[in-house]
Amino acid sequence: MNLILLGPPGAGKGTQAVRIVEKYNIPHISTGDIFRENIKKGTELGKKAQEYMNKGELVPDDLVVEIACSRLLEEDCKEGFLLDGFPRTVYQAEKLDEFLAAHGRKVEHVLDIAVEKEELITRLTGRLVCRACGASYHKVNMPPKTEGVCDTCGGELYQRADDTKETVENRIEVYEAQTKPLVDFYEKAGVIAHIDGATGLDNVFADIVKVLG
């Protein structure tokens, strides 16, 4: 089961990824995590990526592809994988297809979790995070028992700098511009399923299971 997870910031991809991985027993592969892992281990790929990041530049497509695809060769991906954050461009998607075809595999399902822009803004601008343990809350949907205090560890809750309305709107616009061609690409390939991400966590997961079987 080779899966790709798409969805704008705030669509609930992280929550659904955890459930998919548990149910289908495949690894959740986030490109951000792979980058950090390679940089931490000081691999050649990690060093190359770090050079671009140090200059504040985007890591080039080919290097992103190389890092992601090298992860797919690891033992735990034999029975499948859930890719999150990769591919981000049509070029990356084409290269992923070539790589998988060379290993007798293919992308089987692309799950596109869709949520209206206004709902995404409400979700993201209301998010609160604990400074001490990293637990997440929401001002409206999941408030802490005591305002500004984490239920779990008593730590201070704060709003991340990138969760302001202006930044959130910008992140959504960037995502839409980047991902629209990718959605069209997988639409043509006939492997994409559009999931309504506004129906509640359990319903969203039930819809995903209907697609995956």
Side-chain angles (χ1 to χ4, degrees), residues 18-200:
V18 170
R19 292 181 169 200
I20 293 166
V21 163
E22 274 176 10
K23 182 168 177 64
Y24 295 99
N25 199 23
I26 51 174
H28 174 213
I29 298 172
S30 142
T31 34
D33 293 345
I34 306 175
F35 272 81
R36 282 187 284 277
E37 188 67 15
N38 274 274
I39 288 165
K40 201 169 88 183
K41 286 183 177 163
T43 66
E44 279 312 306
L45 292 174
K47 283 178 195 160
K48 278 190 212 166
Q50 184 78 67
E51 278 174 31
Y52 288 98
M53 288 153 93
N54 287 347
K55 292 183 210 154
E57 294 172 9
L58 279 178
V59 180
D61 272 353
D62 284 321
L63 185 53
V64 175
V65 169
E66 201 180 337
I67 287 177
C69 289
S70 68
R71 173 68 182 87
L72 299 182
L73 291 173
E74 290 182 26
E75 191 63 27
D76 63 343
C77 295
K78 261 191 163 158
E79 300 302 318
F81 51 78
L82 176 66
L83 278 172
D84 178 3
F86 174 84
R88 275 186 194 269
T89 63
V90 170
Y91 177 81
Q92 289 179 6
E94 289 168 345
K95 288 291 173 194
L96 173 64
D97 279 355
E98 284 171 23
F99 169 82
L100 290 173
H103 291 83
R105 303 170 79 177
K106 62 181 195 276
V107 171
E108 283 155 338
H109 295 285
V110 177
L111 302 166
D112 177 33
I113 302 179
V115 178
E116 291 292 329
K117 189 175 175 181
E118 287 312 306
E119 168 69 12
L120 292 173
I121 291 169
T122 303
R123 287 184 187 184
L124 290 168
T125 53
R127 186 160 60 176
L128 296 167
V129 184
C130 174
R131 280 192 201 281
C133 73
S136 283
Y137 296 87
H138 192 277
K139 289 174 188 173
V140 182
N141 303 337
M142 206 174 76
K145 292 191 182 90
T146 309
E147 195 179 327
V149 181
C150 175
D151 295 351
T152 315
C153 75
E156 179 201 349
L157 300 182
Y158 75 106
Q159 184 173 44
R160 281 170 25 179
D162 60 353
D163 283 343
T164 60
K165 188 166 190 283
E166 204 176 312
T167 316
V168 163
E169 282 180 340
N170 186 44
R171 281 164 62 201
I172 294 167
E173 275 164 29
V174 167
Y175 174 82
E176 282 171 355
Q178 247 189 4
T179 313
K180 180 75 177 78
L182 205 52
V183 169
D184 295 345
F185 176 84
Y186 286 119
E187 200 86 66
K188 281 193 193 108
V191 293
I192 199 163
H194 301 287
I195 310 283
D196 183 351
T199 57

